[in-house]
Amino acid sequence: MKRQFKFSKAFLPCAIFSGILILAGIVGVCVRGINFSIDFVPGLVEEVRVAPAAIEVTYSGSATVNVELDNTSLRMIISGAGADNETRTFTFGQNPTVNAMAAAMSGVSGVSAKVMGSGDADSYGLFMNSLVTSRLSSNPLRLYVPSSELTSVEQVREAVAGLDVSVKELGTEENRSFQLRAKVDKDSEVSSQELQNQIITALQAKFGADNVPVVKQDFVGSQWSSSLLIRSILLTIVTLFLIWLYATIRFHWDFALGAIVALVHDFLIMFTFISWFQIEFSTTTLAAVLTIFGYSINATVVILDRVRESLKTTQAKKFTEILDKALNDTLTRSIITTVTTLFASVALWVFNTGSIECFAIVLTIGLISGCYSSMFISSGFIALMRRNWQSGEWSNHTRPHPEKKIQKTED
């Protein structure tokens, strides 16, 4: 016969243990705070590439000449005094190499285009530094092509290691760029412009003064970040409400409340580790938290469904006996499901960095907490609510029927 464990004996010790962890988490939030990412605090978002200058373009005429690039062509917009207003278009198909594009640009009066690197490089990948004006003058405007020497995200992180900047790799190998995110503390003396200069200086020191073009730059204001935080909190509350509604319809109200208690428990346990270990809390981390909500409620529903079946088929004097049977029946399923999912989350944790690593850490913590809470916290809460439970006609009520109690007293 299969061994039956008395899980109900662990309900109180587990509740005390969880209470201590949650209290530690509250202390952690008060003492250390939460390490919010740029998603939730004001800051700078910059996309940069590491690439050599392919062409230097200068202009010596009196007109105004601006350069524009898109996916198919390079355009020169010529206007102003001493020139006919016109747009000269040089397609990448007609000028497939850097040499051909430079020669075509030099054909415009007053424009000089000098090839800086390999003239045989593909012109299709040409791009500009967004921080530099696109208007041509005697100061050279540099056009870049993707570097043949691939730069890794680890090298970029090493370059900005002392600036509290998060780095994420974007694009394919051929068109690799890096997204840098830096927080701007409203109490800090460093402005966003100074922070941007510090980042660019650090990258130029690592990769060369002319080899770090900025593709795009944005500043996230405090109002937008606060709005996102409020929406995230509302999303979490709405998720919990919908789960409670589903569990109430499917089961009894105390079962539904027990499921919500388990989810809130998992939420607080994850934030205990997030606060004490200063795991970055971003939209990716929030996705991990919501994923655990789905995983945990699924594990809890399996157990509650077995409890509901056992109420109809099992003769028991105490409700904890039914809970013990349901937990024993679902034990193998709970362990196997959690362990197999942990294989994936731990692999993500070990073999990734940045936001994916934070996602995997929170997911791993949540998986363990979800399995634990569905077995001990949710079941313990339901056992507490049904501590006066009696079998028979009123077995689905949290309290025994008063008439039944009177009849027993008379007997």
Side-chain angles (χ1 to χ4, degrees), residues 302-320:
V302 170
I303 294 172
L304 296 183
D305 201 47
R306 188 56 60 93
V307 171
R308 185 173 58 179
E309 288 181 18
S310 299
L311 278 170
K312 302 173 184 177
T313 60
T314 304
Q315 295 295 325
K317 294 181 180 180
K318 295 181 178 180
F319 193 76
T320 52

Side-chain angles (χ1 to χ4, degrees), residues 176-221:
R176 180 177 295 174
S177 62
F178 304 94
Q179 185 185 74
L180 291 87
R181 296 181 168 220
K183 303 174 192 176
V184 177
D185 190 346
K186 58 184 177 181
D187 298 325
S188 173
E189 296 180 357
V190 179
S191 66
S192 59
Q193 184 62 48
E194 290 173 330
L195 181 60
Q196 176 198 345
N197 293 338
Q198 290 176 2
I199 293 171
I200 295 301
T201 300
L203 291 172
Q204 289 177 342
K206 174 78 173 178
F207 302 108
D210 299 326
N211 296 335
V212 189
V214 176
V215 179
K216 185 172 62 175
Q217 182 188 58
D218 291 305
F219 181 76
V220 179

Side-chain angles (χ1 to χ4, degrees), residues 46-51 150-163 165-170 176-181 199 202-204 206-207 211-212:
E46 221 171 35
E47 184 181 341
V48 303
R49 300 179 74 169
V50 178
L150 297 179
T151 303
S152 68
V153 67
E154 286 76 17
Q155 289 176 297
V156 178
R157 286 181 181 140
E158 181 184 339
V160 295
L163 296 176
V165 176
S166 65
V167 182
K168 181 167 68 175
E169 184 178 320
L170 303 175
R176 180 177 295 174
S177 62
F178 304 94
Q179 185 185 74
L180 291 87
R181 296 181 168 220
I199 293 171
L203 291 172
Q204 289 177 342
K206 174 78 173 178
F207 302 108
N211 296 335
V212 189

Side-chain angles (χ1 to χ4, degrees), residues 21 55 65 74 87 115 232 263 311 317 333 345 369:
L21 277 182
I55 303 175
V65 181
L74 180 149
T87 299
V115 176
S232 299
L263 292 181
L311 278 170
K317 294 181 180 180
R333 180 263 177 203
S345 67
S369 176

